[in-house]
Amino acid sequence: MDKKIPRHVSIIMDGNGRWAQERGKERVYGHANGVESVRACVEAAAEEGVEYLSLFAFSEENWNRPESEVSTLMGLMVKSIANEAEALMKQGVRVMFLGNRSRLSDPVNSAIDGLMEASKDNKTLTLIIFISYSGKWDILEAAKKLAREIAADPSKLDSLDDMDIASFDKYFVTAGIPDPDFMIRTSGEMRISNYMLWQLAYTEILSVPTLWPDFRKPEFRAALAEYAKRDRRYGKVK
């Protein structure tokens, strides 16, 4: 029997700070080691035939963390892009960054733009990094885009009642990307933390106790095995 592989896997990468504190280190030590887990999961996703892997790297709420931690995280982002770019290109990974990028610094945006442009034609796997993102922000921005569209062409108001859910999808930052089939949250937390509130409507969710820096290929494959046991009904009776 063929394995049931989700087309789009998404991960809330949680537990870096606790992992570091358990080892008597600063929180940033956990973030640095979490990069290794990103690399492992990208490789495993490509090897297993996953088409889209999305990672919640930095939320809009994370801007409220201590300035020193935010600065370190942003520096780590730029460093990681530089360090991983060659390997990602060799693996055929297309990289996308989604979120409120107006809050990011010029060096971060420049690094992001460079990797997105270089990898745009890659086909093996699409890696989506959500940075400075929140689900509520995404919904609000989608509503604003629709409002501006109607303001520019009031005749579109006449067909507004005919708009369906699929038609509204195009206003989100995830336009053109299939909704996640499977979402994993590490560290055992049981919440989605304002992440893809619209897109996760029928996503299968798994919370695992493993802290993110310890979540590597075996853990990723074990999660996929759990997904394979699920019976997705989308509200229907089978």
Side-chain angles (χ1 to χ4, degrees):
M1 184 189 298
D2 291 337
K3 288 192 295 185
K4 186 166 69 172
I5 298 297
R7 186 181 184 198
H8 181 175
V9 176
S10 192
I11 306 177
I12 297 179
M13 306 178 293
D14 196 15
N16 287 339
R18 274 167 283 175
W19 187 89
Q21 288 167 0
E22 287 176 359
R23 289 157 178 77
K25 304 284 188 178
E26 296 292 327
R27 290 173 55 85
V28 294
Y29 179 73
H31 297 311
N33 280 272
V35 174
E36 297 295 328
S37 293
V38 171
R39 182 184 300 121
C41 287
V42 169
E43 291 177 359
E47 290 164 1
E48 293 294 329
V50 173
E51 294 180 37
Y52 295 84
L53 175 66
S54 56
L55 306 174
F56 197 14
F58 191 87
S59 71
E60 285 236 280
E61 291 77 16
N62 287 157
W63 289 109
N64 297 321
R65 290 184 176 184
E67 185 176 347
S68 60
E69 182 176 351
V70 171
S71 177
T72 299
L73 279 168
M74 290 302 153
L76 182 61
M77 177 70 68
V78 174
K79 182 179 178 180
S80 296
I81 289 173
N83 290 343
E84 302 298 325
E86 183 178 354
L88 290 168
M89 292 299 294
K90 285 183 177 179
Q91 293 174 73
V93 177
R94 175 175 64 140
V95 186
M96 302 175 67
F97 289 83
L98 301 179
N100 184 6
R101 290 183 54 191
S102 67
R103 300 189 67 172
L104 302 177
S105 68
D106 289 342
V108 174
N109 273 317
S110 178
I112 285 172
D113 287 336
L115 183 54
M116 287 178 62
E117 176 63 25
S119 67
K120 65 181 182 181
D121 295 323
N122 291 344
K123 306 292 186 184
T124 301
L125 170 73
T126 296
L127 172 64
I128 304 151
I129 308 294
F130 284 88
I131 182 169
S132 189
Y133 174 87
S134 87
K136 289 185 176 181
W137 167 84
D138 198 3
I139 293 171
L140 178 60
E141 288 300 303
K144 287 179 180 179
K145 289 174 187 175
L146 176 59
R148 292 190 190 104
E149 194 174 279
I150 292 174
D153 184 0
S155 67
K156 291 185 177 181
L157 188 60
D158 297 334
S159 60
L160 190 60
D161 286 341
D162 296 326
M163 173 175 279
D164 58 15
I165 289 172
S167 300
F168 193 52
D169 279 342
K170 69 179 182 180
Y171 296 99
F172 290 88
V173 296
T174 51
I177 298 168
D179 290 344
D181 300 291
F182 188 39
M183 195 272 282
I184 305 162
R185 179 164 189 152
T186 59
S187 87
E189 300 292 348
M190 300 291 288
R191 58 182 181 273
I192 59 174
S193 296
N194 198 6
Y195 179 49
M196 283 202 280
L197 299 179
W198 176 271
Q199 298 87 341
L200 291 174
Y202 281 103
T203 299
E204 294 292 323
I205 297 175
L206 175 68
S207 175
V208 297
T210 310
L211 301 179
W212 177 244
D214 290 327
F215 194 87
R216 301 296 170 89
K217 287 187 179 184
E219 289 75 20
F220 186 87
R221 292 193 169 102
L224 291 189
E226 172 61 31
Y227 172 83
K229 301 175 186 176
R230 304 283 182 94
D231 182 14
R232 304 186 73 194
R233 295 188 295 275
Y234 300 96
K236 302 174 184 177
V237 175
K238 290 186 177 179

